[in-house]
Every structure is written in C-alpha cells, then in structure tokens.
Amino acid sequence: MVSSSRSRPEEPVTSTTSAPSPLDRTGLALGLGCYLLWGFLPLYFNVLDQTGSVEMIAQRAVWGLVFCLLVLPAVGQWRQFAAVLRSPRTLAVLGTAAALVGVNWYLFVWGVTHGHVVDASLGYYVNPLVTVLLAVLVLRERLRRAQVWALGFGALAVVVIATGSDGALWLSLGLALTFGGYGLVKNRVGRTVGALPGLAVETAFLTPFALAYLVWLGPRESLVGNGVGYGLLVASLGVVTVVPLLLFSGAARRLPLSVVGLLQYLTPSMQLAIGVLVLDEPMSPTRWVGFSLVWVALVILGVDGVRAVRATTPLDGGTPTTPDPSR
C-alpha cells in the first residue's frame, strides 16, 4: 500500500516568527494626549497663582470627585466603584494611595507656584529609578546588571545636584518617593480596580479633609474677586485631574508597556523646557551635569526594559524566556 503522504503535494514551510505588529494609532494618540496634558500642568497651575497650594489641592480633590461621579455611570464603571466601597481591604490600600497622591499633588503644586518647576521635572525623571529601588527593597525583586548601572548613575546624579547651591533637591526626591510609593501601593490592588473607580475612591478619601479646610477658609477673595472665569478655572481642576488619567488608561490597554514607559519621559521633558524657557528658572552647570547623569540612567533603564520585554515575549508560540538577572 502506498503511503498517503506521497499523494499529497509538499506544503510550503512557513516561518513561525511573526513580524512585529504596528503600533495602535488610537493608543498612541491617547498616550501622547495624556502626557502632553500632564506636561502643560505647570502653566495651568501658574494661572491659578491667586489660590494657595493647600487650597488648590483641596479644590482639586473636591472637583475631582465630582467629575469622577459624573463620568463613572457614563463609562459603565459605577458597579465596580460600588464593589470597591464594599471591600475593606481594597479601601485600606486605596486610602494609603490617597494619602501618598495627596502629598504628591501638594509638592508639585507648591513647586510650580514657588519657582521650582525644574526641580519638579527632576522628580519625575528620577521616579522610574525609585520604582526599581522600591521593587528591590519591598518586593524583593532581583536587579539585572543594567538596572544596577542605572541606579548607580541616578545616585551619582543626586550627589552632583546636591553639591549645587541652587534648586530644591528635597522637592525632587519627595515627588519621586511619593509617586513611586503611590505606584507600589496601586500595584497591590493590581487589575482588580480600574483607573477611574480607583481615583474616585482616592478623591473620596481626600474630600472630607478638603471640604473641612475650605469651610475653615471661608469665602475666598481670590475666587470671588477674580471673576467667574477664574472660578471656572478652579472648578476645571476636576477635569484636569481625571481626563489625563482616562487617556492613560486607554493608552495602557492598547500599547506595549515599553512604549508607555518611553512616552512617560515626555512630561518631565516638557516641564523642564517650560521651567527654563518660559518661566526663566536658573540652570547652573552643576544641575546640567546632574540632569545629564539622570538621562544616562534612564537610557540604560529604557534599553534594558525593551530587551526584557522582547526576551519574555515568545515570537513562535513557545515558552517565554526569562531574562538573566545577572546581565
């Protein structure tokens, strides 16, 4: 009997390696929109210079909650928000996140309104390095060799900038630590809580304190005396808080993590440019050297992150490979 395999023509051998898929244009637009809006925040907060830093954070919390409560039913996430309210453990985690993000908001607004936009931008440049450090100290993750080099350059940058007399390094480190801690705490709830319900709960935690502070302040001359337009700008703090987060959430679902990680550097770069070119903040040679060292660290971290993503993503349908921690 003749084998049936001889009666069939040979099938062409096709490669199992797929070409990289093109970037989702909608995701890229959402990501750019998110980081551009965050990048322009120093100009926005400077327009509100008649409102104190603490009051601005109180207004941001109240109007942020109002906007969240309006948007949640529209995007079909009200049930998830209600489910979070019934989970004591999740509420405790998000309460901690609320405290950290509240401090982060205050430091950023204070820096912007007191001539330290450049220092604020440095804080968000340093944040990815702080995130790596927290992963090691808290989550007991092992560093790859490139990450060690990146942290080394970052530490050297801090030392160099600290030797200069200008700037407020404490502000940069405070922003990096609070936002890094915020990311770590949010990591504890993982994907069980969406970005918008999570922010709604966080602003709900902050709102009672914010309202108490605003009642204690009483009617503000800065809000009444500057007209309706200024009052609307203050109320728009809710939109400014929530809309970029919604854009980020949409981008994160459509783009590779490596692309989102690279896009995040757009915000501190814009803030640095605004601080130096628009607001005329000083940049001494020492600070330029320090910033350059941070940029070197971020390039190392970015390249290593892309390599790690490629190494753990199977192209042929096989088992993902794990990057060597000793690299």
Side-chain angles (χ1 to χ4, degrees):
M1 187 167 94
V2 181
S3 171
S4 61
S5 62
R6 292 182 181 179
S7 63
R8 295 195 303 264
E10 290 188 9
E11 296 180 358
V13 178
T14 58
S15 172
T16 57
T17 301
S18 59
S21 57
L23 285 178
D24 185 297
R25 292 184 179 181
T26 301
L28 190 59
L30 293 173
L32 287 172
C34 160
Y35 289 112
L36 284 172
L37 287 174
W38 278 335
F40 280 117
L41 278 182
L43 296 178
Y44 177 81
F45 288 137
N46 262 285
V47 173
L48 300 176
D49 58 353
Q50 298 299 312
T51 304
S53 302
V54 178
E55 181 183 359
M56 203 180 302
I57 298 308
Q59 297 280 3
R60 188 176 186 181
V62 172
W63 290 111
L65 177 60
V66 169
F67 194 69
C68 283
L69 295 179
L70 291 174
V71 174
L72 279 168
V75 297
Q77 295 186 18
W78 184 265
R79 289 185 177 180
Q80 189 180 15
F81 172 66
V84 173
L85 295 179
R86 293 192 296 269
S87 172
R89 179 186 176 279
T90 305
L91 282 176
V93 174
L94 291 177
T96 304
L100 287 168
V101 79
V103 174
N104 183 269
W105 285 355
Y106 172 76
L107 290 175
F108 182 76
V109 171
W110 185 93
V112 168
T113 56
H114 287 75
H116 292 285
V117 175
V118 170
D119 294 300
S121 73
L122 177 62
Y124 291 112
Y125 273 130
V126 172
N127 176 65
L129 301 173
V130 170
T131 300
V132 172
L133 186 61
L134 288 174
V136 174
L137 297 178
V138 180
L139 303 180
R140 303 299 181 186
E141 294 183 7
R142 294 179 62 188
L143 288 180
R144 295 186 293 274
R145 184 176 301 173
Q147 292 174 316
V148 174
W149 278 101
L151 287 176
F153 274 103
L156 181 60
V158 170
V159 172
V160 169
I161 295 173
T163 62
S165 57
D166 53 348
L169 183 59
W170 63 268
L171 176 66
S172 305
L173 295 178
L175 284 168
L177 289 170
T178 52
F179 200 71
Y182 176 73
L184 179 66
V185 171
K186 293 284 279 188
N187 179 262
R188 298 295 84 193
V189 295
R191 296 182 180 273
T192 60
V193 179
L196 184 60
L199 182 64
V201 173
E202 290 160 21
T203 51
F205 269 108
L206 296 174
T207 293
F209 302 99
L211 286 175
Y213 181 76
L214 293 175
V215 170
W216 177 77
L217 283 179
R220 300 295 292 157
E221 183 180 347
S222 61
L223 295 181
V224 178
N226 286 292
V228 176
Y230 189 86
L232 291 175
L233 273 177
V234 173
S236 68
L237 282 166
V239 178
V240 170
T241 299
V242 177
V243 168
L245 185 69
L246 293 176
L247 295 178
F248 173 80
S249 179
R253 288 196 300 267
R254 292 173 172 85
L255 295 176
L257 183 61
S258 57
V259 175
V260 176
L262 292 176
L263 284 176
Q264 73 174 329
Y265 299 127
L266 179 62
T267 294
S269 298
M270 289 179 61
Q271 293 171 355
L272 174 63
I274 288 172
V276 175
L277 302 177
V278 180
L279 303 177
D280 295 322
E281 292 188 13
M283 277 292 287
S284 66
T286 301
R287 297 181 86 184
W288 278 120
V289 171
F291 268 80
S292 298
L293 289 170
V294 171
W295 292 331
V296 170
L298 294 178
V299 168
I300 295 173
L301 204 60
V303 171
D304 176 69
V306 171
R307 288 178 61 191
V309 169
R310 288 179 176 175
T312 54
T313 303
L315 297 179
D316 57 358
T319 305
T321 56
T322 304
D324 182 2
S326 64
R327 264 186 316 164

